[in-house]
Amino acid sequence: RSGEPADGPLPAGLPTLADPGYGGAGLGVLIPVKQLVAGGDLPPRTPALTWPGAVDLGYVRVRPVAAAVGSGILARVSRVSVVGVPSSAASYAAGQDLAPAALRSAGLLEQLKGSGLEVHDDGDLPHQVWSPDRDHPLAQNVGQATASLRQLAGRLEPLLARGDLALVLGGNCTIALAVMAALRRLEAGAPGLLYLDRHYDINTPESTTDGALDWMGLAHALALPGCVDTVTDAFGPRPL
């Protein structure tokens, strides 16, 4: 429902995903966020983003999810399995690899458990930190990033096969490829993807020179011309 989460209205003036600046669609449980400025600093913390029970995640504040438990998809989930991907290999710089640890330290899992969900922490994949890749300037760290995605798909497949809801914690957009690959392996019909991002992520090494696979993920999932075979062939038949 656009506008309000199940447990009451948000504070006046608080931006949510229902606002025009975030796409304007009604997206169910809403997560208010502060605007991220590309290449710059975050705006100062706003007191209006604080309300009783909120979890401070630094850049994002998440309202407790207790009101959502017992309704919708959460009513059909037997367990939530959490997997962390502490990798910035496909990023513009180091830092995104710290996202899983930041979310855990902010109490995300405790909030989920406190909401009545059965939560299993399946741990993190190996830590990968971005560094300049002068051998592959247009697709930096492609081998390292692809290895992590393959490992993630393999980790998720048995969790999804037993009926768990998989919650993947990461900071890099390419993890969507591994999630879709794991869903496809279930052979339960074509999986759907709702992709919310600032960009379409359909750049390729031929359309941009910055070399970050972070905003090339969907292009490789779609096997667009100019993509790197290492990624497009990582999960079986193309397109993903």
Side-chain angles (χ1 to χ4, degrees), residues 25 56 118 126 140 148 152-153 174 198:
D56 185 352
E118 179 184 356
Q140 296 195 43
S148 179
L152 175 58
T174 57
R198 183 178 179 179

Side-chain angles (χ1 to χ4, degrees), residues 76-80 157-166 186:
R76 303 189 298 272
V77 172
S78 60
R79 182 164 73 168
V80 177
E157 185 177 1
L159 306 181
L160 296 169
R162 70 185 181 211
D164 289 12
L165 176 75
L186 297 178

